[in-house]
DNA sequence: GTGAAAGCGCTAACAA
DNA sequence: TTGTTAGCGCTTTCAC
């Protein structure tokens, strides 16, 4: 790899002139300029951007901590980030943390060791150690999707509480009164928010909230499948299940159908996220649509604002949602719910 | 951010001693060592890895070109890469190219501009320009998933032809003779390979290959849905559809079911990839399982071998596959295929 | 065992 | 308009 000195020698000018020609061509005479450009061509010179970054102290890299890229929703968020970052000349360093806080801290260190300028977090967790935490001002980070109250940084989030409430109200309006909920990971504030929205709706409708209707999950298909098994076994079965994400809902729906239940005639199922598969399952899934790509784009632009010093306070950006009603939710069956498995009537 | 000089001053030693203490502690006296460590603690020193990388000329970054991270299969491959890379102290620079060759070239430039040491490509396309192409020896790149014959670099791939043949033979063994195929993106060699495997199986079975049974697709749910529409409209309907990936199969299945066909009684549907959703659709999808994470891990280790000079030839690594038979494929119906829409009999 | 100093490739004062 | 030079933070000879 030729360096700037070789180009300078080839063109018979100084390295400064080569640098100037490349950075501010107008400050170089046309004659020299063309001579330099020729030398660049001839030598096949490519500036060593590592050196540029080192010198400028700006890496133009952003670390992104993702619990798992295999989650379809996150994949869309990442797409949006990628797009926005590329537009501004930033590259993404993707960290698939698998929920391992060691991995998160390792990647967070890339910011402290000048390998990245900032960090975007898709999970509620402060990956920086105390040294950073005590620093004054905003951390060079943005929290997306999840809410993270304790850390002074911008947050890009959905009004999860309102969205969960809207979905629950949709189910209530269909006549459901025993609505089960399959939750997301325990540790996630997002899970708590959605649960709160669910309770809000029940309370407003004068329906007593029942802990027995809550089932654990972790956002995977298999967790949904498993939770559905528990729901089927419960003494007084629910007529509707609200799942905290679409994968969970698809897993649950699968189990219900295998058990001979019809969706939505016997049991309604609702999801959250509106991943591409939601429109293509059988029946198509009622869910909450989130503009995932916009999440990503907004997170990046917020982070760049922090990095440039444009942002001094930590804004909370609320991304809008949509209730998408498809065919997986329907009127509550008017039978009593004594039998465990209903007969399929055609 | 304190630098090494400040630490040296604080500890009352030279910068060389600080560097040595951190790199090769055994070459420093215990007394000095503890004094330096103390200074590191006190100042909160974190080495500027950008400077280290600049100096060493090794970035420990790998660029990954992905057509789209929103593809579930690629997401799994990336997980595997991430894991293997992290183990070796490498970070991934993820480029979501969306098939745009401009984006691919931009990211490929990161290798040429010393921002990354190497590149992994998940698409059959040489992102390097001629300057690189003419260089002697192997390019610092690995091709994964797709086959890319023209470029001297290691390839990690599935025997797509054999896998497609295995699936087609499975369908033939069920008595299907009119097997439609929904293809992947035209430009992809992988698509050609799978098509070839399909033809191989037909030829061996003495069945005449028919162009009219081939339908275009692009690996998305909606393409599968659309292609299924064309299949339904075709004069002499097929009894089985082999889709080049699972999303396509799920989209197609959705359309068939909406049209009142039963899968697999009226029409069998097969996919490729075995994404998580394949086991949770209705009916569960017969497909080809690929060890996606292993793909990623292997690609990374191959690339590191190239970078370290351990590899001088360009090996072709073949990853094994599995035919996973679930419920979306069944015996061919023995009726004539004259009616367009069958009645659903229960 | 420790320190002084060169230098990785580049940019930006400052001088000419 | 162009050249000279210092220096970004670090590692690594080479002396001492």
């Amino acid at each position: 790899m030729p360096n700037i000195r070789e180009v300078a020698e080839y063109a018979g000018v100084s390295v400064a002139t080569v640098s100037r020609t490349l950075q501010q061509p107008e400050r170089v005479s046309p004659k020299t300029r063309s001579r330099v450009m020729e030398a660049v061509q001839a030598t096949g010179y490519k500036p060593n951007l590592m050196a540029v970054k080192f010198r400028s102290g700006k890496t133009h890299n952003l670390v992104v901590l993702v619990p798992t890229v295999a989650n379809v929703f996150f994949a869309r968020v990442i797409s949006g980030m990628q797009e926005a970052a590329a537009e501004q000349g930033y590259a993404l360093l993707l960290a698939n943390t698998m929920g391992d806080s060691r991995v998160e801290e390792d990647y967070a260190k890339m910011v402290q060791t000048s390998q990245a300028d900032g960090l975007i977090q898709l999970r509620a967790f402060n990956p920086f150690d105390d040294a950073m935490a005590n620093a004054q001002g905003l951390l060079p980070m943005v929290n997306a999707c999840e809410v993270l109250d304790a850390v002074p940084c911008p947050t890009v989030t959905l009004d999860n509480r309102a969205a969960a409430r809207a979905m629950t109200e949709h189910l209530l309006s269909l006549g459901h009164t025993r609505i089960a909920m399959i939750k997301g990971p325990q540790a996630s504030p997002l899970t708590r928010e959605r649960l709160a929205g669910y309770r809000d709706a029940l309370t407003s409708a004068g329906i007593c909230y029942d802990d027995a209707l809550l089932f654990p999950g972790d956002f995977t298909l298999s967790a949904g499948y498993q939770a559905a098994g528990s729901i089927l076994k419960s003494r007084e079965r629910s007529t509707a299940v609200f799942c905290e994400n679409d994968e969970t809902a698809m897993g649950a729906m699968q189990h219900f159908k295998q058990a001979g239940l019809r969706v939505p005639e016997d049991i309604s199922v609702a999801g959250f996220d509106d991943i591409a598969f939601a429109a293509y399952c059988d029946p198509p899934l009622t869910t909450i649509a989130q503009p995932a790509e916009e999440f990503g784009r907004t997170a990046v632009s917020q982070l760049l604002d922090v990095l440039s010093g444009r942002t001094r306070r930590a804004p909370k950006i609320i991304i809008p949602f949509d209730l998408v009603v498809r065919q997986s939710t329907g009127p509550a069956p008017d039978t009593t719910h004594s039998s465990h498995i209903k007969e399929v009537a055609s």
Side-chain angles (χ1 to χ4, degrees), chain A:
Chain A
M1 277 280 129
N3 61 21
I4 201 172
R5 226 185 46 242
E6 297 177 45
V7 179
E9 279 164 16
Y10 189 101
V13 298
S14 73
V15 291
T17 300
V18 176
S19 176
R20 260 192 302 260
T21 307
L22 266 23
Q23 306 306 321
Q24 324 160 42
E26 71 282 1
R27 294 175 40 94
V28 168
S29 80
K31 235 181 77 187
T32 336
R33 198 189 307 160
S34 66
R35 202 136 44 89
V36 170
M37 294 315 272
E38 215 169 279
V40 167
Q41 276 296 322
T43 55
Y45 171 69
K46 305 270 184 209
N48 179 335
L49 293 190
M50 217 61 189
V52 174
K53 289 174 172 187
F54 160 58
R55 190 179 192 286
S56 69
K58 295 269 158 256
T59 65
H60 284 247
N61 288 157
L62 305 178
V63 170
V64 181
L65 301 183
V66 199
T68 163
V69 293
N71 177 297
V72 186
F73 176 72
F74 288 144
R76 285 179 58 201
V77 175
I78 294 167
S79 281
M81 289 182 181
Q82 160 80 38
E83 199 185 296
E87 252 167 39
Q88 306 291 324
Y90 280 78
L92 296 186
L93 293 165
L94 195 77
N96 199 43
T97 65
M98 303 305 280
D100 186 339
S101 55
R102 275 274 304 278
V103 178
E104 291 186 327
E105 281 157 24
D106 283 352
Y107 271 86
K109 247 176 225 138
M110 300 186 80
V111 176
Q112 303 172 50
T113 57
S114 312
Q115 295 184 83
D117 300 337
L119 177 148
I120 298 174
Q121 163 74 298
L122 293 181
R123 202 174 85 113
F125 177 79
N126 179 4
F128 290 117
D129 58 24
D130 295 339
M132 282 299 266
N134 293 331
Q136 75 293 7
L138 297 177
L139 287 172
M141 102 174 224
V142 164
N143 204 255
C145 300
E146 290 274 6
V147 183
L148 189 54
D149 288 327
V151 179
C153 74
T155 299
V156 182
T157 185
L158 202 79
D159 189 343
N160 282 289
R161 187 165 182 165
R165 179 181 183 137
M167 180 58 85
T168 311
E169 282 169 350
H170 162 69
L171 294 170
L172 288 167
S173 76
L174 289 168
H176 297 279
T177 51
R178 283 190 66 78
I179 303 171
M181 183 158 201
I182 306 180
K183 297 186 290 181
Q186 280 298 350
S188 148
L190 184 149
T191 290
R192 282 195 291 279
E193 286 294 305
R194 292 183 188 170
L195 189 56
Y198 161 82
R199 289 185 75 156
D200 289 348
L202 292 185
T203 306
S204 295
I207 292 178
C208 185
Y209 164 86
D210 181 358
D211 259 351
L213 291 174
L214 263 35
F215 296 84
D218 63 2
F219 286 164
T220 62
L221 288 155
S222 60
Y225 187 88
Q226 223 177 317
S230 308
I231 291 174
L232 287 172
K233 281 199 219 90
S234 55
R235 275 194 319 137
E236 204 180 345
R237 203 181 327 110
S238 325
T239 59
V241 181
F242 177 17
C243 306
E244 283 200 26
N245 81 342
D246 288 348
E247 274 97 328
T248 306
M250 290 176 68
M253 214 151 68
Q254 176 78 349
H255 203 145
F256 292 142
K257 291 194 292 185
Q258 285 179 359
L261 293 183
R262 293 164 310 167
V263 178
E265 291 83 354
D266 299 317
I267 192 162
S268 286
V269 177
F272 205 112
D273 285 350
D274 196 27
I275 61 176
F277 293 94
Y280 289 92
C281 54
D282 182 24
L285 192 65
T286 293
T287 189
I288 298 286
Q290 302 192 52
E293 289 82 2
E294 190 183 332
F295 252 103
R297 283 193 295 268
T298 307
V300 166
S301 79
Q302 284 297 316
L303 181 52
L304 296 184
D305 282 352
V306 172
L307 294 180
S308 68
R310 260 167 287 162
T311 301
R312 302 230 37 89
R313 295 286 176 80
K316 304 277 173 228
I317 313 272
I318 306 289
I319 299 282
F321 64 85
D322 261 322
L323 172 64
V324 179
V325 177
R326 297 204 181 91
Q327 287 85 62
S328 68
T329 52
D334 50 3
T335 60
T336 56
H337 316 106
S338 52
S339 72
H340 280 205
I341 307 280
K342 297 199 159 195
E343 297 304 316
V344 179
S346 66

